């Protein structure tokens, strides 16, 4: 992905949540290390898990994986370099300097080196994808479809009972309709067309949404700690074919960055995706909807390798530029209930969504003997969701305002961790791998929102969404958008 766009500071202050303090990550690491009979220390260059070589072969951590491939005798990377009788390349010599320092160092001081050389940094992309990519497209489409239903219900006779017929907003829409009729505007086509602002008068509508998404991942025994900030624009067109059927297309462009803890690296993200979606009203209250999305991603990665071992300083920065692609598909159904004369509407919905994101294999550059070849990754998600939304239509002199609260329970069926595999470029046949933490099977989303529906088919909204229930992970999202009929 391309370099992150500069976000407005006001939105940064709104969306940036309290970051997890570093002692929380260190406490989690301490518990993991005690279970492995390992020692946790702090280094001026890097705070990291210190691997006890005596238990490294039994540990599922990035540090244990790289320690084994370096120290294995007679087939480890260091042993192989020491056995070469001919002239070594500059990259091989660079690694051999490290191997000599490693063999002379006390094992209790090797942890920062193993962390810096491991593939831990790349788990940030794995975690980011697993926790976020399904909601970016599927969730965006769901919000758009809900917006269409809400606008249609307010401006059609199906929900006329929500309002006092003498209210300012009713008169406002009525006056607009009468003006359209006098000017020769279309008013035919059924009850909804006869309501001012009815969507059969303007079958085509467009929308645009800006989203600011912030997340924090605490470091665990297998995952890198990071903070991510992502901004994206989501825009599209949809068309109402009848009172009960509409469909649309949308395009999203995303940019953002992942900042790794302890200043160990950064990742710039970009993504472009295309979606098609549709909805069908079986009855006045029941709806079915679906969406399909395809996307292409790019990552610009810089991995800082900075540590001191046996009084020898190592300071390199590895860079890489992998690409990725993915798709998602969702099906959902819901029931809307209107409480007559109150303006209150409740929506209960269930959905099933599948998403997959592939990250291509890639090779690092610029870090001499420390460059890694990283294997392809494929992250899959299959989730169900059960949710409820409660909104109230408030009539005003300028339009209809709808405050809304929603809550949803999501279940992840694919909770297996992802395997991360790599090899040093100077010895690509010797691969090492580990498996990331299992994903949470159950978590929750809540949101508060406000929408306003104005004459001439104009609608705007703002929404704040918060995720709960994923250990060591925190995420919040702000959406601001508008829609207009043509």
């Amino acid at each position: 992905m391309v370099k992150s766009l500069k976000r407005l500071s006001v939105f940064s202050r709104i969306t940036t949540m309290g970051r997890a303090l570093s002692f929380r990550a260190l406490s989690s690491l301490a518990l993991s290390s005690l279970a492995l009979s390992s020692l946790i220390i702090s280094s001026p260059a890097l705070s990291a898990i210190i691997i006890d070589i005596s238990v490294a072969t039994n540990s599922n951590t990035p540090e244990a994986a790289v320690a084994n491939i370096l120290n294995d005798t007679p087939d480890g990377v260091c042993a192989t370099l020491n056995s070469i009788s001919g002239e070594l390349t500059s990259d091989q010599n660079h690694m051999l300097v490290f191997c000599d320092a490693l063999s002379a160092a006390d094992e209790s001081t090797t942890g920062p080196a193993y962390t810096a050389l491991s593939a831990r940094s790349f788990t940030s992309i794995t975690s980011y994808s697993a926790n976020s990519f399904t909601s970016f497209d599927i969730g965006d489409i769901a919000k758009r479809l809900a917006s269409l239903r809400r606008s249609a219900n307010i401006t059609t006779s199906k929900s006329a009972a929500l309002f006092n017929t003498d209210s300012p907003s009713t008169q406002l829409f009525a006056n607009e309709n009468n003006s359209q009729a006098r000017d020769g505007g279309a008013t035919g086509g059924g009850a909804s067309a006869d309501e001012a602002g009815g969507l059969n008068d303007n079958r085509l509508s467009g929308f645009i949404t800006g989203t600011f998404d912030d997340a924090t991942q605490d470091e665990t025994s297998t995952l890198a700690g990071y903070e991510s900030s992502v901004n994206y624009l989501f825009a599209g067109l949809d068309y109402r074919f009848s009172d009960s059927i509409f469909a649309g297309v949308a395009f999203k462009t995303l940019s953002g960055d992942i900042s790794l803890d302890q200043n160990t690296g950064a990742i710039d993200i970009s993504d472009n995706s295309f979606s098609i979606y549709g909805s069908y009203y079986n009855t006045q209250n029941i709806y079915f909807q679906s969406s399909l999305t395809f996307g292409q991603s790019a990552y610009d990665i810089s991995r800082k390798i900075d540590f001191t071992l046996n009084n020898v300083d190592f300071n390199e920065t590895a860079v890489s530029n992998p690409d990725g692609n993915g798709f998602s598909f969702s099906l959902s159904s819901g029931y809307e209930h209107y409480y007559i004369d109150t303006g209150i509407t409740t929506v209960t919905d269930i959905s099933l969504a599948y998403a997959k994101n592939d990250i291509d294999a890639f090779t690092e550059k610029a870090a001499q003997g420390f460059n890694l070849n990283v294997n392809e990754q494929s992250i899959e998600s299959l989730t169900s969701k059960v949710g409820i939304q409660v909104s109230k239509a408030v009539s005003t002199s300028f339009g209809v305002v709808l405050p809304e609260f929603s809550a949803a329970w999501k279940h992840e069926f694919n909770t297996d961790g992802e395997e991360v595999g790599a090899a040093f470029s100077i010895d690509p046949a010797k691969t090492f791998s580990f498996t990331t933490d299992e994903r949470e099977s159950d978590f929750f989303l809540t949101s508060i929102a406000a929408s306003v529906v104005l004459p001439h088919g104009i609608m705007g909204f703002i929404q704040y969404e918060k995720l709960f229930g994923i250990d060591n992970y925190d995420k919040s999202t702000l959406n601001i958008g508008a829609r207009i009929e043509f």
Side-chain angles (χ1 to χ4, degrees):
M1 299 182 171
V2 294
K3 192 74 176 175
S4 172
L5 299 174
K6 295 293 184 181
R7 60 192 304 177
L8 296 175
S9 61
V10 61
F11 292 125
S12 178
R13 291 194 297 271
I14 292 174
T15 59
T16 301
M17 304 304 294
R19 303 299 188 187
L21 298 177
S22 60
F23 73 86
R24 293 175 55 198
L26 291 175
S27 298
S28 176
L29 293 176
L31 291 174
S32 300
S33 298
L34 285 173
L36 297 172
S37 300
S38 301
L39 174 66
I40 301 294
I41 66 170
S42 295
S43 167
L46 184 67
S47 294
I49 300 174
I50 304 306
I51 298 299
D52 184 339
I53 299 302
S54 64
V55 299
T57 55
N58 299 319
S59 306
N60 178 48
T61 67
E63 290 77 10
V66 75
N68 289 335
I69 202 66
L70 288 168
N71 292 286
D72 184 29
T73 302
D75 298 320
V77 173
C78 289
T80 300
L81 288 175
N82 279 299
S83 67
I84 296 176
S85 57
E87 184 177 354
L88 300 180
T89 66
S90 60
D91 287 353
Q92 289 173 328
N93 271 317
H94 182 259
M95 176 61 83
L96 190 58
V97 171
F98 166 76
C99 289
D100 291 341
L102 181 63
S103 64
D106 186 275
E107 288 181 359
S108 64
T109 67
T110 58
Y114 290 139
T115 296
L117 296 182
S118 72
R120 173 179 287 273
S121 298
F122 306 122
T123 63
S124 59
I125 302 178
T126 307
S127 170
Y128 167 83
S129 296
N131 288 321
S132 300
F133 79 99
T134 57
S135 64
F136 277 159
D137 294 317
I138 297 173
D140 291 336
I141 296 297
K143 293 183 183 76
R144 173 58 186 157
L145 293 171
S147 173
L148 281 171
R149 292 195 309 273
R150 185 181 299 115
S151 179
N153 287 331
I154 290 174
T155 58
T156 64
S157 60
K158 291 181 180 180
S159 57
L162 289 172
F163 308 104
N164 183 326
T165 55
D166 296 325
S167 67
S169 63
T170 303
Q171 294 300 319
L172 181 67
F173 288 124
N175 292 337
E176 179 194 4
N177 184 69
N178 293 335
S179 175
Q180 290 176 345
R182 288 193 300 271
D183 294 339
T187 57
S192 63
D194 294 332
E195 294 287 334
L199 291 182
N200 278 343
D201 289 342
N202 304 286
R203 292 178 179 270
L204 183 66
S205 63
F207 68 93
I208 185 168
T209 301
T211 296
F212 312 115
D213 183 283
D214 284 332
T216 301
Q217 171 69 60
D218 293 340
E219 190 168 9
T220 72
S221 62
T222 65
L223 294 175
Y226 66 83
E227 295 180 354
S228 66
S229 295
V230 174
N231 309 324
Y232 60 94
L233 287 177
F234 186 62
L237 296 170
D238 37 56
Y239 188 82
R240 180 174 290 274
F241 295 92
S242 68
D243 285 347
S244 58
I245 299 174
F246 60 78
V249 296
F251 176 78
K252 182 193 73 180
T253 181
L254 174 155
S255 65
D257 61 80
I258 296 174
S259 298
L260 297 174
D261 290 354
Q262 309 293 339
N263 195 32
T264 53
I267 301 169
D268 290 334
I269 310 165
S270 67
D271 180 90
N272 293 305
S273 63
F274 176 78
S275 302
I276 57 175
Y277 57 89
S279 184
Y280 169 64
Y281 285 85
N282 187 38
T283 69
Q284 178 176 339
N285 302 99
I286 299 174
Y287 64 87
F288 300 90
Q289 60 194 33
S290 181
S291 67
L292 177 64
T293 296
F294 298 93
Q296 293 284 335
S297 305
Y299 308 89
D300 292 333
I301 305 173
S302 61
R303 181 172 64 98
K304 293 185 178 180
I305 305 167
D306 186 5
F307 62 92
T308 299
L309 185 64
N310 197 38
N311 297 318
V312 181
D313 295 329
F314 297 90
N315 191 336
E316 310 289 347
T317 299
V319 296
S320 54
N321 307 98
D323 294 323
N325 62 83
F327 73 94
S328 61
F329 176 73
S330 71
L331 289 170
S332 61
S333 178
Y335 178 82
E336 295 180 298
H337 183 74
Y338 313 108
Y339 294 86
I340 305 301
D341 298 326
T342 67
I344 295 175
T345 302
T346 60
V347 181
T348 304
D349 67 272
I350 59 173
S351 64
L352 185 68
Y354 173 80
K356 183 179 181 182
N357 189 35
D358 294 324
I359 303 169
D360 296 342
F362 61 94
T363 298
E364 293 182 308
K365 302 175 182 178
Q368 302 186 71
F370 297 155
N371 290 320
L372 292 175
N373 296 349
V374 181
N375 295 345
E376 180 183 9
Q377 291 189 61
S378 183
I379 301 101
E380 293 184 86
S381 174
L382 178 63
T383 57
S384 62
K385 187 188 81 168
V386 178
I388 185 169
Q389 301 92 40
V390 181
S391 62
K392 179 175 174 59
V394 180
S395 179
T396 71
S397 60
F398 57 84
V400 180
V401 177
L402 292 99
E404 177 187 287
F405 171 80
S406 67
W409 162 54
K410 297 191 74 172
H411 178 77
E412 173 64 66
F413 294 93
N414 186 7
T415 60
D416 293 340
E418 310 298 334
E419 183 177 14
V420 180
F424 287 103
S425 299
I426 61 170
D427 199 350
K430 296 181 176 62
T431 61
F432 59 93
S433 64
F434 60 94
T435 303
T436 61
D437 298 341
E438 288 189 356
R439 288 180 246 165
E440 295 289 342
S441 59
D442 298 284
F443 52 97
F444 303 90
L445 292 169
T446 62
S447 72
I448 54 175
S451 304
V452 58
V453 181
L454 304 173
H456 308 291
I458 299 174
M459 180 178 181
F461 74 93
I462 183 169
Q463 180 194 48
Y464 175 78
E465 186 175 73
K466 181 70 175 175
L467 181 147
F468 297 94
I470 297 181
D471 287 344
N472 304 303
Y473 185 77
D474 182 77
K475 178 185 174 185
S476 57
T477 304
L478 178 68
N479 297 289
I480 301 175
R483 165 190 168 273
I484 187 169
E485 297 174 11
F486 300 112

